[in-house]
Short mmCIF file of all heavy atoms in Angstrom, two decimals:
data_model
loop_
_atom_site.label_atom_id
_atom_site.label_comp_id
_atom_site.label_asym_id
_atom_site.label_seq_id
_atom_site.Cartn_x
_atom_site.Cartn_y
_atom_site.Cartn_z
N ALA B 356 -19.90 -16.57 -14.57
CA ALA B 356 -20.41 -15.82 -13.42
C ALA B 356 -19.43 -15.81 -12.25
O ALA B 356 -19.56 -15.00 -11.33
CB ALA B 356 -21.74 -16.40 -12.97
N ASP B 357 -18.44 -16.73 -12.28
CA ASP B 357 -17.46 -16.77 -11.18
C ASP B 357 -16.31 -15.79 -11.37
O ASP B 357 -15.49 -15.64 -10.48
CB ASP B 357 -16.88 -18.19 -11.06
CG ASP B 357 -17.87 -19.15 -10.45
OD1 ASP B 357 -18.85 -18.67 -9.86
OD2 ASP B 357 -17.67 -20.37 -10.57
N VAL B 358 -16.26 -15.17 -12.56
CA VAL B 358 -15.10 -14.31 -12.86
C VAL B 358 -14.87 -13.24 -11.79
O VAL B 358 -13.76 -13.13 -11.26
CB VAL B 358 -15.23 -13.69 -14.27
CG1 VAL B 358 -14.16 -12.64 -14.51
CG2 VAL B 358 -15.11 -14.77 -15.32
N PRO B 359 -15.90 -12.45 -11.41
CA PRO B 359 -15.62 -11.39 -10.42
C PRO B 359 -15.05 -11.92 -9.12
O PRO B 359 -14.04 -11.40 -8.63
CB PRO B 359 -16.99 -10.74 -10.19
CG PRO B 359 -17.79 -11.09 -11.37
CD PRO B 359 -17.30 -12.41 -11.85
N ILE B 360 -15.64 -12.95 -8.57
CA ILE B 360 -15.17 -13.41 -7.26
C ILE B 360 -13.81 -14.08 -7.36
O ILE B 360 -12.97 -13.93 -6.47
CB ILE B 360 -16.23 -14.31 -6.55
CG1 ILE B 360 -15.74 -14.73 -5.16
CG2 ILE B 360 -16.61 -15.53 -7.35
CD1 ILE B 360 -15.55 -13.61 -4.19
N VAL B 361 -13.54 -14.77 -8.47
CA VAL B 361 -12.23 -15.42 -8.60
C VAL B 361 -11.13 -14.37 -8.72
O VAL B 361 -10.07 -14.48 -8.10
CB VAL B 361 -12.21 -16.38 -9.82
CG1 VAL B 361 -10.80 -16.87 -10.09
CG2 VAL B 361 -13.11 -17.56 -9.56
N ILE B 362 -11.41 -13.32 -9.49
CA ILE B 362 -10.40 -12.26 -9.61
C ILE B 362 -10.27 -11.54 -8.27
O ILE B 362 -9.17 -11.27 -7.81
CB ILE B 362 -10.77 -11.27 -10.74
CG1 ILE B 362 -10.76 -11.99 -12.08
CG2 ILE B 362 -9.78 -10.12 -10.77
CD1 ILE B 362 -11.30 -11.17 -13.22
N ALA B 363 -11.40 -11.27 -7.64
CA ALA B 363 -11.34 -10.55 -6.36
C ALA B 363 -10.67 -11.38 -5.28
O ALA B 363 -10.13 -10.83 -4.33
CB ALA B 363 -12.75 -10.16 -5.91
N ALA B 364 -10.67 -12.70 -5.44
CA ALA B 364 -10.14 -13.56 -4.38
C ALA B 364 -8.64 -13.49 -4.23
O ALA B 364 -8.11 -13.88 -3.20
CB ALA B 364 -10.55 -15.00 -4.62
N ILE B 365 -7.92 -13.00 -5.26
CA ILE B 365 -6.47 -12.82 -5.03
C ILE B 365 -6.22 -11.47 -4.39
O ILE B 365 -5.09 -11.09 -4.15
CB ILE B 365 -5.65 -12.96 -6.33
CG1 ILE B 365 -5.98 -11.86 -7.34
CG2 ILE B 365 -5.82 -14.32 -6.95
CD1 ILE B 365 -4.90 -11.67 -8.37
N ASP B 366 -7.28 -10.73 -4.10
CA ASP B 366 -7.18 -9.39 -3.54
C ASP B 366 -6.31 -8.53 -4.45
O ASP B 366 -5.24 -8.07 -4.05
CB ASP B 366 -6.58 -9.46 -2.12
CG ASP B 366 -7.04 -8.29 -1.29
OD1 ASP B 366 -7.75 -7.43 -1.85
OD2 ASP B 366 -6.69 -8.22 -0.11
N PRO B 367 -6.74 -8.35 -5.68
CA PRO B 367 -5.83 -7.75 -6.66
C PRO B 367 -5.64 -6.26 -6.44
O PRO B 367 -6.49 -5.58 -5.89
CB PRO B 367 -6.53 -8.00 -7.99
CG PRO B 367 -7.95 -8.08 -7.65
CD PRO B 367 -8.06 -8.59 -6.26
N CYS B 368 -4.51 -5.79 -6.87
CA CYS B 368 -4.16 -4.39 -6.79
C CYS B 368 -3.48 -4.08 -8.11
O CYS B 368 -2.28 -4.08 -8.20
CB CYS B 368 -3.17 -4.21 -5.65
SG CYS B 368 -3.64 -2.96 -4.52
#
Side-chain angles (χ1 to χ4, degrees):
Chain B
D357 286 344
V358 171
I360 182 64
V361 171
I362 296 171
I365 64 160
D366 207 357
C368 232

